[in-house]
Amino acid sequence: MDRGAGWFKLMGTPKSAGTKLLSVSGDCARPGVYEVAFGLKVQDLLKMAGGLDAQAVQVGGPSGTCISRGQFERKLCFEDLPTGGSVIVIGPQRDLFEAIHNFMDFFIEESCGWCVPCRAGNILLKKKLEKITSGKGTAKDLQEIESWGKTIKAMSRCGLGQTSPNPILTTLQNFREMYEAKVRNDKDFISEFDLAAAVKAASSLTGQKLTEAHHE
Amino acid sequence: MNKIKFTIDGKECFAEPGQTIMEAAKANGVYIPALCRYEGLKPAGSCRVCTVRVGRGHMAACTQPVAEGMVVENIVPDLEDMRKSLIEMLFVEGNHLCPTCQKSGNCELQALAYRYQMLVPRFPYQFPVRQVEPVGPHLLLEQNRCIQCLRCVRGVKTTDGKAVFGSVKRSGKKKIAFDRDLAAGLSADAAKKAMDQCPVGALLKKEIGFMVPIGKRKFDQKPIGSEFEDKRS
Ligand code: SF4
Ligand code: SF4
């Protein structure tokens, strides 16, 4: 305070003056709150916090951006990677899909249910993600999940739905290979309809067991 | 007072100060598709079907006031496809078996599905397990078809002005509930009005289901939005 605004503005970048408190959590040796000058490279923050082996960093919380190792040179500031303060380090031992899935669970739980795209859309988005991670996805599912995500962002009433597809959309952009490795290239379409699951209640009543052979 | 000048899809329009985009569009003979909006009720902005684009931003036409010089995009392909996907979300979120539904032909959800030429929703059906509940002596609440538009919450009141319906829970579990004592006091006329207000076949007045045969109902005669769009074509 007593050194004045001029001194404060010497730190940071042209559009993000001064310092920022960052809450660093996740897979790092020294999680905690760090006060840093805006414009710090993600790489340097990881060095401070002891998380250099991270496979991904979630900047700005679940509704922010998930970046890959190749992007750790990027800077924490409004011009590049804006954040309200949350930085989550995701270590190499984690399944990134599981983290994305958790974030979607969080948004579904948090949705108030007032508007259609956020209430119905996020659930459909999560199911699509599950279809892909369970190995039943095709290239078409990747296109669809992207376009559904864009629709939910554009049509939702508040900031929750306007950002809830970000865990999927930003990883689709920054970890494309991971998704592409999951989808099947030998098929154009695989149905998400699971006959055995759909008739489970009836089968348990009649004591019948439906095997894969019935509907393959 | 000076009128506000703005455009919708390039057409020059005029609005009164304080009017929403939806109200002004209507006054200028422009159709903006909508589902939760109902004449005379405070807008809820819950269905998002009336979403329009202004610049790079998206906003619900039913709640957004017009501003001078606004350039509104309404019937443009990508926006129309996103609106269509909202309709499809509503179809898979509930259980809509139109051929067995008393509202078929009078249903705004069905009418919009026809408008958007929906054949099969792009989303997988969720087949939720939901109940049918009696609401007082004259009404049924068919939860399978409820789209959470909140028209009943906003519009169905007792004679002394108390709201009969409300919504409970959140996210995908959100649903319409009602006060049993207040519902018991709803007259047959009030029940008919509630049914007419509900855009879908979720609120049904008992005993009048098929009074008007299918084929002779509102949207069997003319598609939704045609009161405006006939004039254009
Ligand atoms: S409420 Fe409308 S869309 Fe749903 S089943 Fe009835 S007619 Fe069809
Ligand atoms: S019961 Fe009808 S009016 Fe009420 S919220 Fe459901 S769809 Fe809307």
Side-chain angles (χ1 to χ4, degrees):
Chain A
M1 275 290 208
D2 52 7
R3 296 196 214 175
W7 170 81
F8 190 70
K9 278 188 144 179
L10 285 177
M11 292 176 285
T13 66
K15 281 191 186 151
S16 324
T19 64
K20 173 80 192 154
L21 289 171
L22 297 175
S23 152
V24 182
S25 64
D27 303 316
C28 54
R30 294 175 291 280
V33 178
Y34 290 76
E35 183 170 14
V36 303
F38 267 119
L40 184 76
K41 285 182 187 159
V42 175
Q43 180 82 15
D44 296 332
L45 182 69
L46 288 174
K47 211 178 282 170
M48 281 193 258
L52 273 177
D53 62 346
Q55 62 162 315
V57 176
Q58 183 76 27
V59 183
S63 53
T65 308
C66 189
I67 58 166
S68 60
R69 290 191 69 83
Q71 298 167 302
F72 287 176
E73 289 285 306
R74 288 179 67 182
K75 292 175 179 161
L76 297 159
C77 56
F78 293 110
E79 296 94 315
D80 187 5
L81 280 172
T83 168
S86 161
V87 176
I88 305 171
V89 184
I90 302 174
Q93 74 278 23
R94 304 276 171 190
D95 176 358
L96 190 54
F97 276 124
E98 203 183 317
I100 302 165
H101 196 263
N102 285 347
F103 287 148
M104 291 314 294
D105 268 339
F106 163 77
F107 283 121
I108 289 169
E109 188 65 32
E110 289 302 309
S111 169
C112 76
W114 182 281
C115 75
V116 178
C118 179
R119 182 184 71 232
N122 282 320
I123 293 175
L124 294 165
L125 214 53
K126 188 181 100 169
K127 292 203 169 153
K128 191 66 141 183
L129 180 72
E130 285 166 354
K131 183 183 178 191
I132 293 167
T133 53
S134 68
K136 287 188 183 161
T138 59
K140 187 161 176 281
D141 289 302
L142 294 187
Q143 282 166 17
E144 284 183 351
I145 204 169
E146 191 164 3
S147 111
W148 299 3
K150 283 185 184 155
T151 299
I152 296 169
K153 283 179 73 138
M155 305 302 261
S156 287
R157 183 170 184 249
C158 83
L160 192 122
Q162 286 160 10
T163 55
S164 60
N166 284 354
I168 293 175
L169 294 181
T170 65
T171 49
L172 251 179
Q173 201 177 9
N174 299 334
F175 296 84
R176 188 91 199 172
E177 350 51 78
M178 181 179 87
Y179 283 89
E180 273 163 3
K182 275 280 179 202
V183 298
R184 302 260 298 260
N185 293 319
D186 54 331
K187 289 194 177 169
D188 293 336
F189 171 75
I190 305 171
S191 169
E192 52 264 286
F193 183 71
D194 181 344
L195 184 60
V199 300
K200 203 169 144 218
S203 314
S204 75
L205 284 177
T206 57
Q208 271 182 339
K209 223 176 154 204
L210 192 85
T211 56
E212 282 285 308
H214 279 89
H215 62 290
E216 275 288 293
Chain B
M1 188 101 60
N2 278 346
K3 291 217 166 193
I4 299 169
K5 216 159 108 178
F6 72 112
T7 63
I8 302 179
D9 292 338
K11 177 186 150 103
E12 187 162 271
C13 298
F14 295 91
E16 306 287 343
Q19 262 186 334
T20 62
I21 297 175
M22 176 68 83
E23 288 161 352
K26 257 193 116 185
N28 287 275
V30 174
Y31 177 61
I32 301 179
L35 202 43
C36 66
R37 194 196 95 90
Y38 192 77
E39 203 67 54
L41 296 182
K42 198 170 164 240
S46 66
C47 74
R48 313 311 286 177
V49 172
C50 72
T51 300
V52 292
R53 185 158 48 224
V54 179
R56 288 177 59 202
H58 293 88
M59 47 198 73
C62 70
T63 52
Q64 185 71 32
V66 180
E68 179 67 40
M70 244 183 188
V71 178
V72 178
E73 288 180 75
N74 175 30
I75 309 291
V76 288
D78 65 327
L79 199 53
E80 285 277 85
D81 185 58
M82 292 201 280
R83 289 169 174 167
K84 182 181 182 188
S85 75
L86 295 182
I87 302 298
E88 295 176 5
M89 282 181 195
L90 286 170
F91 268 92
V92 304
E93 190 191 34
N95 296 308
H96 294 270
L97 305 157
C98 295
T100 67
C101 179
Q102 294 93 314
K103 194 85 171 197
S104 185
N106 283 329
C107 170
E108 292 174 43
L109 180 65
Q110 188 192 51
L112 282 172
Y114 276 122
R115 175 187 166 86
Y116 287 113
Q117 301 183 357
M118 180 190 99
L119 297 175
V120 154
R122 69 196 75 180
F123 309 106
Y125 285 102
Q126 304 296 298
F127 300 120
V129 178
R130 295 189 189 168
Q131 307 289 324
V132 183
E133 301 169 37
V135 183
H138 304 291
L139 267 182
L140 286 176
L141 174 54
E142 216 320 356
Q143 297 278 16
N144 287 292
R145 302 175 189 144
C146 175
I147 56 168
Q148 315 284 335
C149 73
L150 306 172
R151 283 189 192 175
C152 58
V153 176
R154 289 173 281 159
V156 182
K157 303 273 163 79
T158 58
T159 42
D160 56 347
K162 289 195 188 106
V164 177
F165 293 90
S167 74
V168 292
K169 302 199 178 165
R170 50 192 289 135
S171 191
K173 298 195 184 77
K174 182 166 171 288
K175 64 172 197 162
I176 295 300
F178 56 92
D179 183 295
R180 274 177 211 285
D181 296 334
L182 298 182
L186 283 179
S187 67
D189 279 352
K192 173 74 172 53
K193 206 176 138 215
M195 172 173 176
D196 291 341
Q197 245 172 34
C198 179
V200 292
L203 276 179
L204 298 167
K205 164 100 174 51
K206 291 181 190 169
E207 295 162 1
I208 60 164
F210 290 92
M211 291 280 246
V212 180
I214 288 174
K216 292 216 153 56
R217 297 176 174 187
K218 186 171 175 198
F219 301 118
D220 296 334
Q221 317 288 333
K222 274 178 161 282
I224 196 165
S226 56
E227 62 274 35
F228 295 109
E229 295 189 325
D230 274 1
K231 286 182 222 143
R232 287 196 324 184
S233 53

